[in-house]
């Protein structure tokens, strides 16, 4: 069983590794450009990280689909897992539940907490993706995916502000989020007045397709085996989706923050290429260099991701002196002193990732695996 999951765990581990690096840039200088998301339209390597995790979630579904004895056990499992992941994401954004105001600790009112987020999107995409692939044939799942991608495009065009359909405040997704969730429950960049949630309700619909894409890839690999033919077909389909995304992107721009349909095709296509390459090197050529490093992340992906997010908050919460957090202090006196500029922010991100890896390594050695 371990061998069967090796490539998936490595793929998931690579995703978590780079997710931590992306989410923990140092301070004191502009962020290293390749670790920043596209400002709006466009694509950077960083934009691939989150959809790749959804792809890995779908891939794992292809291995677990036959494990359930009945529909009731299946439904209980996925609803419970989805609820726990969603709640963990909500609490993670609420943490540490208090903030400083003129030197005093003030409770973070629940009325101002962010409802959606990364784990919340993972939970919802997993829930609906699991329901679709469990109750529908692979052909039907593909048709549903196409309908979601086209439907999202049409919805943005019909219900967005005229001429502003793909803008931050004029798109239909933001208007829907404000209407259902309210301004105070959305993401506010750097605490500013503009409410826009990149993990909003409407764009979660297209995120489901990333899960289905991962499922279909996993099901194909199980049916055809891990061989040269499978690798070639994964690469060809991946290349086709990349081409289609670039073509569609001329009319429906590639944008991670809107999770546009062209963005989904691009990311699924790239993930198919990556998983194909990994199968070639790991399963066929038996190259093991670096595998154990990523397996540490892959075997405890949720726990290590939560650790990374909460530890960053703690670093920013602890003051070395009034007004100076440990996070800013260590960047100023060490990383920016030794590696000035954007490179210093990269070195900090790599160092922080290694701290999280070390915790995962200890957990792996002690056979501690957090499963939901």
């Amino acid at each position: 069983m371990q061998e069967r999951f090796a490539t998936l765990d490595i793929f998931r581990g690579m995703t978590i590794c780079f997710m931590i690096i992306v989410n923990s840039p140092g301070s004191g200088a502009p962020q290293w450009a390749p670790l920043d998301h596209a400002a709006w339209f466009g694509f950077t390597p960083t934009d691939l990280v989150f959809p790749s995790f959804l792809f890995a979630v779908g891939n794992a579904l292809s291995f677990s689909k036959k494990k359930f004895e009945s529909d009731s056990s299946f439904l209980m499992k996925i609803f419970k897992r989805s609820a726990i992941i969603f709640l963990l994401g909500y609490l993670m954004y609420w943490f540490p539940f208090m903030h400083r105001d003129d030197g005093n600790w003030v409770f973070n009112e629940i009325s101002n907490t962010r409802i959606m987020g990364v784990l919340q999107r993972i939970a919802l995409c997993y829930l609906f993706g699991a329901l679709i692939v469990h109750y529908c044939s692979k052909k039907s799942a593909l048709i549903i995916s196409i309908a979601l991608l086209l439907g999202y495009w049409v919805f943005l065009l019909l219900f967005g502000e005229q001429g502003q359909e793909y803008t931050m405040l004029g798109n239909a997704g933001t208007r829907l989020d404000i209407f259902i969730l309210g301004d105070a429950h959305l993401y506010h960049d750097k605490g500013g007045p503009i409410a826009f949630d990149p993990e909003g309700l409407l764009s979660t619909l297209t995120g489901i397709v990333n899960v289905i894409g991962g499922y279909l890839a996993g099901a194909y690999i199980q049916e055809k085996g891990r061989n040269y033919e499978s690798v070639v077909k994964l690469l060809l389909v991946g290349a086709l989706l990349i081409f289609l995304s670039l073509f569609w992107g001329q009319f429906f721009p590639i944008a991670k923050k809107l999770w546009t349909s062209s963005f989904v095709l691009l990311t699924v296509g790239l993930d198919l290429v990556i998983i194909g390459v990994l199968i070639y090197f790991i399963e066929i050529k038996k190259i093991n260099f670096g595998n154990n490093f990523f397996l540490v992340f892959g075997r405890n992906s949720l726990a290590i991701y939560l650790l990374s997010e909460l530890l960053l908050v703690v670093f920013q919460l602890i003051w070395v002196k009034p007004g100076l957090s440990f996070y800013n202090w260590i960047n100023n006196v060490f990383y920016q002193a030794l590696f000035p500029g954007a490179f210093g922010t990269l070195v900090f991100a790599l160092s922080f990732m290694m701290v999280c890896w070390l915790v995962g390594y200890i957990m792996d050695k002690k056979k501690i695996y957090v499963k939901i």
Side-chain angles (χ1 to χ4, degrees):
M1 184 65 70
Q2 284 297 105
E3 180 184 358
R4 188 181 188 89
F5 278 84
T7 302
L8 171 60
D9 280 338
I10 291 168
F11 178 83
R12 184 167 51 230
M14 292 172 65
T15 303
I16 291 297
C17 175
F18 290 112
M19 188 178 285
I20 293 172
I21 294 172
V22 165
N23 290 345
S24 56
S27 62
Q31 185 175 358
W32 195 54
L35 295 185
D36 202 2
H37 292 287
W40 193 249
F41 298 143
F43 187 82
T44 74
T46 298
D47 293 328
L48 182 60
V49 176
F50 189 9
S52 294
F53 192 85
L54 292 177
F55 185 90
V57 168
N59 220 269
L61 279 173
S62 70
F63 289 93
S64 63
K65 181 178 178 181
K66 299 177 182 178
K67 287 169 55 176
F68 300 100
E69 297 179 357
S70 64
D71 277 355
S72 60
S73 64
F74 162 74
L75 291 172
M76 183 177 297
K77 181 67 174 180
I78 65 162
F79 276 104
K80 177 185 175 183
R81 180 178 290 173
S82 301
I84 292 173
I85 294 174
F86 193 99
L87 180 60
L88 287 173
Y90 178 76
L91 293 175
M92 183 181 75
Y93 286 118
W94 194 5
F95 181 82
F97 313 114
M98 301 185 77
H99 68 277
R100 285 189 179 93
D101 186 9
D102 292 329
N104 298 314
W105 287 100
V106 180
F107 181 70
N108 293 334
E109 296 290 341
I110 196 171
S111 59
N112 291 318
T113 53
R114 183 184 179 194
I115 292 178
M116 295 297 291
V118 171
L119 287 180
Q120 294 92 313
R121 169 161 288 181
I122 291 172
L124 293 175
C125 289
Y126 164 75
L127 172 62
F128 292 107
L131 289 172
I132 290 169
V133 303
H134 185 80
Y135 289 108
C136 301
S137 65
K138 289 190 283 292
K139 181 179 179 181
S140 297
L142 183 60
I143 293 172
I144 291 171
S145 298
I146 294 171
L148 287 171
L149 296 179
L150 292 174
Y152 180 60
W153 189 23
V154 170
F155 197 95
L156 289 185
L157 290 175
L158 289 180
F159 299 103
E161 185 178 339
Q162 189 171 6
Q164 306 291 319
E165 292 89 352
Y166 304 140
T167 62
M168 180 180 291
L169 300 181
N171 78 85
T174 297
R175 301 172 84 179
L176 182 67
D177 288 337
I178 292 174
F179 177 74
I180 294 179
L181 302 177
D183 183 290
H185 290 298
L186 302 184
Y187 176 70
H188 290 72
D189 189 24
K190 297 182 176 63
I194 298 178
F196 168 75
D197 209 314
E199 282 82 44
L201 293 170
L202 187 63
S203 58
T204 297
L205 292 175
T206 44
I208 297 170
V209 180
N210 289 91
V211 174
I212 295 174
Y215 167 79
L216 293 175
Y220 173 79
I221 293 165
Q222 290 183 70
E223 290 173 6
K224 301 299 182 181
R226 294 158 291 183
N227 49 51
Y228 286 105
E229 181 184 355
S230 296
V231 169
V232 170
K233 287 187 177 179
L234 287 170
L235 296 178
L236 287 175
V237 174
L240 175 62
L241 291 180
I242 292 170
F243 171 78
L244 290 175
S245 76
L246 295 176
F247 176 76
W248 198 357
Q250 298 177 74
F251 313 98
F252 191 14
I254 295 170
K256 186 262 180 188
K257 293 178 180 177
L258 278 179
W259 213 278
T260 57
S261 304
S262 54
F263 172 77
V264 173
L265 290 184
L266 178 60
T267 52
V268 172
L270 289 171
D271 284 331
L272 288 173
V273 171
I274 293 170
I275 204 79
V277 170
L278 287 177
I279 291 172
Y280 174 77
F281 284 109
I282 297 170
E283 307 285 356
I284 298 177
K285 291 299 183 180
K286 305 297 181 182
I287 296 175
N288 297 316
F289 178 77
N291 290 359
N292 288 334
F293 179 85
F294 293 113
L295 280 171
V296 167
F297 285 115
R299 289 170 179 156
N300 263 311
S301 55
L302 179 60
I304 296 176
Y305 172 72
L306 279 170
L307 168 71
S308 69
E309 292 292 312
L310 297 179
L311 192 58
L312 266 185
V313 175
V314 171
F315 281 4
Q316 293 166 341
L317 193 66
I318 297 173
W319 279 7
V320 175
K321 62 180 182 180
L324 179 63
S325 68
F326 174 77
Y327 173 77
N328 288 329
W329 174 81
I330 196 170
N331 275 282
N332 292 339
V333 304
F334 184 75
Y335 289 97
Q336 285 304 310
L338 293 179
F339 312 102
F343 184 65
T345 68
L346 170 63
V347 178
F348 173 82
L350 293 173
S351 303
F352 184 78
M353 177 271 294
M354 287 303 302
V355 170
C356 297
W357 179 87
L358 182 60
V359 175
Y361 176 77
I362 294 171
M363 293 175 68
D364 193 38
K365 284 297 181 183
K366 293 183 178 294
K367 305 298 181 185
I368 301 172
Y369 302 110
V370 179
K371 304 292 182 183
I372 296 177

